[in-house]
Amino acid sequence: SDSSRNINGDIMGTLFVDKLDPQSGTSLEIGSSGDTITIPSGATIANSGTATGFGGSMTPAFYATATTTRAIPDSAWTALTYNTEVWDSAGCFDTSTGKFTPTTAGKYFLFASMRWDTDVNFNISYLGIYKNTSVDAQAGFPQDYYNIYYTGAIFEANGSSDYFWTKAQHNQGGSQNLSASAYANFFGGYKIIE
């Protein structure tokens, strides 16, 4: 070591070692609450184990698909449900309502897709992602032979009461069905690390 003592008698300096092991048990603590541990420029931290408490987590995250046909009436925004959860990291998605209610405040990237089960040309139809009761992201196109609609956006959630869901609308006259293809009918999202 290369050391000296300060005015309080504490040893200060540089300690040269190749390995630090805990004196007892399996936990090693460096520094105390309020301390700043500095990794100098040019140094590399090589991790071969499990790192916790660094950066952030991209959860809650979910992805759900619809594998059943859903009937959408004419000229009315209609809530969509998704009967299959592919994943749901924190149990925040409800298949019965199609709602995602994040339990953690932050920004989320949400995306959705749908396809009509018809080769009839619509004048126009819509897919929207709603935050609570207002549509915040929307795709609207003339329908042409099984086209797939996709929309996505970044939303902010308060982590307590905000929820997100999807709705569809068309003006074709009479009820129209969405397809039952999981690859074309889905709703998903994840928390963004800030």
Side-chain angles (χ1 to χ4, degrees):
S1 67
D2 178 8
S3 63
S4 61
R5 291 183 181 272
N6 66 12
I7 193 170
N8 297 317
D10 299 326
I11 296 176
M12 302 178 62
T14 303
L15 177 66
F16 298 98
V17 296
D18 292 323
K19 183 180 180 182
L20 292 176
D21 277 328
Q23 183 178 5
S24 62
T26 57
S27 295
L28 178 68
E29 182 177 331
I30 300 175
S32 298
S33 177
D35 291 347
T36 298
I37 309 299
T38 302
I39 307 298
S41 174
T44 300
I45 298 176
N47 176 41
S48 298
T50 302
T52 60
F54 293 94
S57 173
M58 295 175 72
T59 58
F62 77 101
Y63 181 71
T65 62
T67 57
T68 58
T69 298
R70 295 161 295 173
I72 308 300
D74 180 64
S75 300
W77 280 105
T78 302
L80 303 180
T81 57
Y82 303 84
N83 62 315
T84 302
E85 279 188 348
V86 180
W87 72 78
D88 185 5
S89 70
C92 295
F93 183 76
D94 184 347
T95 56
S96 66
T97 63
K99 292 181 180 179
F100 172 59
T101 307
T103 53
T104 304
K107 294 181 176 65
Y108 289 79
F109 176 68
L110 303 178
F111 54 89
S113 174
M114 74 175 192
R115 190 188 78 175
W116 295 103
D117 189 24
T118 178
D119 61 0
V120 174
N121 289 339
F122 291 28
N123 289 331
I124 196 166
S125 61
Y126 302 95
L127 168 64
I129 300 177
Y130 278 66
K131 177 180 179 181
N132 302 324
T133 58
S134 299
V135 62
D136 276 15
Q138 179 177 296
F141 306 100
Q143 170 64 20
D144 183 17
Y145 294 94
Y146 300 109
N147 279 354
I148 295 175
Y149 289 50
Y150 178 88
T151 188
I154 295 173
F155 300 82
E156 185 140 11
N158 61 19
S160 57
S161 60
D162 285 338
Y163 61 90
F164 303 91
W165 51 335
T166 59
K167 291 185 178 183
Q169 183 187 29
H170 68 85
N171 62 349
Q172 188 61 20
S175 180
Q176 298 292 332
N177 288 336
L178 291 174
S179 76
S181 300
Y183 73 86
N185 295 278
F186 54 79
F187 180 32
Y190 52 86
K191 186 177 183 296
I192 297 173
I193 298 174
E194 298 185 66

